Amino acid sequence: MEKIIPPNDLNDTLPTWRLLDTPPMTAAENMALDEALLEVKGEGKSPNTIRFLQFSPRTVLVGFHQALHEEIRRDYCQANRIDINRRITGGGAIFFDENQLGWEVFCDKAFFNAAIPNARLFKTLCEPVVAALARLNLEAEFRPRNDIEIDGRKISGTGGTESGKAFMFQGTMLVDFDVDTMLRALKIPVEKLKAKEIDSVKDRVTCLKWELGEAPALADIKQAIKRGFAKCLNIRLETGGLNAEEQKRFAKKRPRFRSLGWIDSVKPRFQKRETVRSAYKATAGMVRFTLAVNLPQKRLKDVYITGDFLSFPGRALYDLEARLRGAPLDRQHLHGMIRDYFDQGHIKIPGLGFEDFVKPLDQCLEKTEMAKFGIPLEHCNLISVVNGSFEEVIQKNPSVLLLPYCAKLTGCDLRYEKGCRVCGEDCCSIGPAWSMGRHMQMQVTSIVSFEDLWDELMRMKASGVAAYIGCCCQPFFAKHADDFKASGLPGILLDIDNTTCYDLDQAKQAYAGQFERQTSLNLELLETVLQIRVESCGNEVAA
Amino acid sequence: MEIQGYNLPEDLYYEKNHYWVKVEGDILVMGMDDFAQQLAGDIVFVQIPFAGKKLKVGKKFAQVESGKWLGKVYAPVNGELIEGNEALEAEPSLINQDCYGQGWMFKIKPADTDELNNLIHAPADIEKWVLEDIEKYKQD
């Protein structure tokens, strides 16, 4: 391409970089080109380069060392024409649709006088994009270690790698954002795809369209990023194409990046991702913790703190999440981080303090402890404990099984009574649970209201019951966690199915024992826990 | 020796990308030094290549990830990889906890031990090199 040199242009003395604006490509092509460009640059056979990239079809990309199975909903992606591939850079899984723009820097390590990546380098490489956003009238900031955000919401995530003499640094620019598809394609730790949860993800990310009302033209965004780099790195950018060596390397690499050998190359032995969650109803509001954990490596991979409380400043909660991300899965360590954050005044929540945050966190950590009994973590999510750890409660050999009336048939004449005749009705889960408890030599009773529960707990305590197992829904537990605790009795509570009085907004009726729908116990989970009780305490089983 | 908060034992050899090399009989043990470990932050992944891999001095042979950056490990000498520290697969943070001990990374059979002379070893050289890098990587 012919160079147009404006007269008296001082730019002429600036170092010239290549601007490589590649058309939308498949994920395999984009990844192959990344590696080709980096290698050739690392050998000193190409100019420093800024590349724009886009994907077609849309794609999910895992980080270099991540296991696909742990990060991506493969069936959904395959059914919805979403490419799956693996980056040559580190970091987490991302969803990249046709609306997003990627930017990349390939350059000599010498340009930044650095051979080792460091915080200052990341900042230097993010500043051009912050400047680009300023050109689009958006006030963005660099958030260590390497994100760009607007008012606490992430608009650009970045990552990088190196080869020989060169660095490669890449980032995304969210232009428009399909949260719903992202949540379905990636294993983001949200419970179910409820509107509320989509909103909580929306609170943590943003895109040009949401900020500006409409997405700017792609050419304008590219121009802003180009100018941002030119200004911040003090360089001149000149549009160019691939050189012969790059083309050769690109062609040669494509088959490998299309192969399962590359895409599926990491097996989830240590690269695990599992989710635990817990909620606590404090006086001033509900606090939910959702943790993505890597149990083999004892790491907190990701954390979402949500609820119906208000926190100040608006971004404080997201900053706390960012601090906790990647931390060791250690109770004391995490408590220390959260306490410091509150003590240093980074966050203010009317009516809520450090203690209200660590309660649901501790419940989450307790769930990870239960996994040691061989209960899959997804099932541990359905278990809560009071007045002791799971292990401690089991060791006390729980002798009473409490079952909620709401799981009885709505037409059952004993629905609002304490007993059950184990009639064998198909659609009732109380009968089988009742038999199971009896079979395990437990005293089984049905709970008909909150008052009845309290009376029952007090009766049990007075008669020397050491511990109990109960079934109730999560919202009931979250609401009454402090009551359960106040009873002083150690207990294990198992979640029941989803359509509870709380989902239907009928908590008041249920409280008074007038809830008219039928819920269902999780019999499989009950059996697992009762079995652990037998194994741990050597209980006799009734003949 | 301790240089401005970085621990760099004097009996080790150092490769300029801040990896240490220790002589243990006929073989070399290698790992990340304290300077690089502190700069990198939490190490989240270490790739352990297969034993028997041929190493060419200055060429990359393994990868280490921290803070979304996938870094490369370059061979300090010519030779052959004879073992990787498998404990790092489960617990890469051993490098942060104990970079000269439990966080060791690779064992190498060198082609020629004379090549060690190309690494940084004399205490005065170590000090000069580290002071220069402290200046170079000073964070704002």
Side-chain angles (χ1 to χ4, degrees):
Chain A
M1 175 181 264
E2 200 181 344
K3 259 199 306 190
I4 303 162
I5 305 170
N8 301 326
D9 192 349
L10 287 172
N11 280 346
D12 215 20
T13 58
L14 299 177
T16 302
W17 286 32
R18 170 178 58 172
L19 181 70
L20 195 58
D21 189 359
T22 45
M25 289 190 279
T26 64
E29 286 168 336
N30 267 319
M31 299 303 104
L33 185 54
D34 277 348
E35 191 171 86
L37 292 172
L38 176 62
E39 266 184 24
V40 175
K41 180 70 230 168
E43 293 161 14
K45 296 175 189 161
S46 59
N48 288 334
T49 298
I50 303 288
R51 167 160 103 104
F52 289 129
L53 66 159
Q54 286 183 277
F55 290 82
S56 182
R58 55 196 180 158
T59 183
V60 286
L61 300 170
V62 290
F64 177 79
H65 84 266
Q66 292 189 301
L68 277 192
H69 174 75
E70 300 296 310
E71 310 292 334
I72 281 175
R73 295 198 172 89
R74 213 166 181 156
D75 293 346
Y76 178 83
C77 292
Q78 281 164 352
N80 290 277
R81 283 204 71 227
I82 300 173
D83 264 2
I84 298 174
N85 216 296
R86 176 177 301 284
R87 295 193 306 272
I88 63 167
T89 54
I94 55 171
F95 169 62
F96 213 121
D97 67 17
E98 287 97 333
N99 286 316
Q100 297 176 43
L101 177 66
W103 49 271
E104 296 182 327
V105 179
F106 298 85
C107 72
D108 293 317
K109 291 175 179 175
F111 185 86
F112 294 105
N113 188 29
I116 308 175
N118 59 86
R120 197 182 53 195
L121 176 70
F122 295 142
K123 189 159 189 264
T124 306
L125 287 162
C126 283
E127 270 166 354
V129 179
V130 172
L133 289 164
R135 284 182 184 274
L136 298 169
N137 296 318
L138 291 171
E139 198 181 322
E141 267 181 294
F142 168 70
R143 182 199 326 238
R145 196 173 153 112
N146 40 19
D147 284 335
I148 298 164
E149 49 157 56
I150 295 175
D151 200 19
R153 296 166 187 210
K154 181 164 155 182
I155 193 164
S156 180
T158 69
T161 184
E162 62 181 292
S163 176
K165 297 175 190 162
F167 283 140
M168 168 191 167
F169 192 68
Q170 61 182 185
T172 51
M173 172 67 82
L174 290 174
V175 180
D176 191 359
F177 191 29
D178 178 358
V179 181
D180 197 63
T181 305
M182 180 197 76
L183 289 176
R184 287 167 205 277
L186 301 182
K187 289 187 173 169
I188 301 268
V190 287
E191 213 161 336
K192 281 154 253 132
L193 296 171
K194 292 179 184 167
K196 214 164 47 181
E197 300 187 9
I198 292 179
D199 286 348
S200 78
V201 171
K202 278 186 176 172
D203 286 344
R204 284 156 175 77
V205 291
T206 190
C207 61
L208 295 176
K209 189 174 175 186
W210 299 351
E211 293 294 326
L212 295 166
E214 62 178 332
L218 195 60
D220 294 342
I221 304 169
K222 286 179 179 173
Q223 184 66 14
I225 296 177
K226 179 184 167 186
R227 289 193 171 170
F229 274 104
K231 183 168 168 262
C232 294
L233 299 184
N234 221 11
I235 54 171
R236 192 171 60 148
L237 279 159
E238 202 170 275
T239 304
L242 300 181
N243 70 27
E245 183 59 29
E246 289 167 333
Q247 280 177 15
K248 199 172 99 192
R249 220 70 75 92
F250 176 39
K252 196 177 152 203
K253 285 178 185 296
R254 269 178 298 200
R256 183 165 75 90
F257 280 90
R258 276 197 293 259
S259 72
L260 277 180
W262 166 254
I263 297 169
D264 219 356
S265 57
V266 178
K267 296 299 168 206
R269 192 165 144 227
F270 296 109
Q271 306 309 328
K272 299 289 273 187
R273 181 193 192 98
E274 294 177 290
T275 305
V276 275
R277 49 181 80 86
S278 190
Y280 169 69
K281 180 102 174 75
T283 345
M286 183 74 83
V287 186
R288 286 174 207 282
F289 264 69
T290 305
L291 313 184
V293 298
N294 179 333
L295 287 184
Q297 295 191 343
K298 301 181 200 77
R299 286 266 157 194
L300 178 55
K301 292 188 71 169
D302 208 349
V303 52
Y304 281 81
I305 307 168
T306 55
D308 53 7
F309 54 87
L310 285 173
S311 56
F312 304 96
R315 53 176 291 167
L317 204 55
Y318 316 140
D319 287 344
L320 175 61
E321 291 174 352
R323 283 190 189 202
L324 295 172
R325 219 167 276 144
L329 207 56
D330 173 83
R331 185 170 175 268
Q332 267 189 328
H333 184 88
L334 296 171
H335 276 216
M337 290 177 82
I338 298 174
R339 185 184 290 117
D340 289 350
Y341 199 71
F342 274 88
D343 285 354
Q344 288 160 10
H346 294 302
I347 190 166
K348 288 200 174 48
I349 308 173
L352 283 184
F354 155 74
E355 300 77 16
D356 302 300
F357 264 50
V358 295
K359 275 182 191 167
L361 172 68
D362 284 350
Q363 282 282 352
C364 285
L365 296 176
E366 177 54 36
K367 287 170 199 232
T368 66
E369 290 293 316
M370 291 173 203
K372 290 179 189 156
F373 286 87
I375 310 174
L377 205 52
E378 56 187 299
H379 290 168
C380 297
N381 272 314
L382 307 172
I383 306 174
S384 303
V385 286
V386 282
N387 294 318
S389 67
F390 182 79
E391 185 169 10
E392 286 162 358
V393 181
I394 282 285
Q395 300 278 325
K396 287 187 190 297
N397 192 7
S399 58
V400 177
L401 177 61
L402 304 176
L403 303 173
Y405 79 93
C406 60
K408 289 180 180 172
L409 294 173
T410 49
C412 175
D413 61 338
L414 295 179
R415 182 167 165 100
Y416 303 106
E417 305 292 330
K418 304 279 292 172
C420 169
R421 64 174 68 91
V422 193
C423 62
E425 267 296 337
D426 269 356
C427 302
C428 177
S429 56
I430 289 282
W434 207 280
S435 306
M436 231 187 269
R438 282 285 171 78
H439 184 61
M440 303 273 183
Q441 310 272 26
M442 295 177 84
Q443 184 204 326
V444 189
T445 189
S446 172
I447 297 296
V448 299
S449 69
F450 175 70
E451 272 76 21
D452 181 42
L453 167 66
W454 186 255
D455 291 346
E456 195 63 58
L457 291 172
M458 291 303 110
R459 255 199 306 274
M460 285 155 56
K461 202 173 164 186
S463 65
V465 169
Y468 64 93
I469 293 172
C471 295
C472 73
C473 67
Q474 281 283 344
F476 182 84
F477 179 75
K479 188 173 173 200
H480 295 296
D482 288 338
D483 298 319
F484 276 110
K485 190 157 189 250
S487 76
L489 264 181
I492 293 172
L493 294 150
L494 310 179
D495 199 5
I496 61 176
D497 86 341
N498 293 320
T499 317
T500 67
C501 56
Y502 292 89
D503 289 323
L504 298 167
D505 212 15
Q506 293 185 15
K508 272 196 187 135
Q509 292 91 316
Y511 184 93
Q514 296 159 2
F515 178 54
E516 290 299 334
R517 289 278 289 263
Q518 189 198 354
T519 60
S520 173
L521 306 178
N522 189 331
L523 293 173
E524 195 189 340
L525 180 65
L526 180 61
E527 192 174 4
T528 306
V529 173
L530 292 182
Q531 200 55 46
I532 291 172
R533 170 183 167 273
V534 171
E535 285 159 13
S536 303
C537 304
N539 288 300
E540 290 293 315
V541 172
Chain B
M1 74 180 96
E2 175 93 8
I3 306 173
Q4 296 186 17
Y6 299 103
N7 173 27
L8 292 127
E10 287 173 42
D11 56 334
L12 303 179
Y13 293 82
Y14 294 92
E15 187 261 349
K16 65 180 188 324
N17 290 300
H18 287 277
Y19 283 83
W20 56 265
V21 175
K22 184 164 76 180
V23 183
E24 273 188 4
D26 299 344
I27 62 155
L28 305 177
V29 184
M30 170 182 190
M32 190 183 278
D33 78 11
D34 188 39
F35 182 81
Q37 173 275 121
Q38 287 194 38
L39 213 58
D42 281 345
I43 309 286
V44 297
F45 165 73
V46 179
Q47 181 196 43
I48 314 269
F50 60 94
K53 184 166 181 159
K54 295 274 176 274
L55 305 185
K56 199 164 169 231
V57 64
K59 295 287 174 200
K60 55 181 186 266
F61 73 96
Q63 327 213 44
V64 179
E65 182 177 339
S66 64
K68 299 202 248 178
W69 187 275
L70 187 69
K72 306 288 159 81
V73 187
Y74 300 91
V77 295
N78 290 301
E80 185 185 317
L81 183 72
I82 53 175
E83 190 186 343
N85 182 359
E86 283 181 12
L88 296 177
E89 286 187 324
E91 209 173 344
S93 61
L94 285 174
I95 295 177
N96 298 110
Q97 292 157 28
D98 184 12
C99 66
Y100 299 112
Q102 285 186 66
W104 69 274
M105 296 172 74
F106 306 109
K107 289 185 180 167
I108 297 167
K109 189 175 165 199
D112 178 359
T113 45
D114 279 355
E115 286 177 7
L116 283 170
N117 296 327
N118 300 327
L119 300 175
I120 304 162
H121 185 53
D125 292 345
I126 296 173
E127 190 175 359
K128 180 169 175 281
W129 164 67
V130 172
L131 284 173
E132 276 171 15
D133 272 2
I134 288 171
E135 187 57 31
K136 190 162 151 185
Y137 292 104
K138 202 158 65 184
Q139 306 299 314
D140 299 325

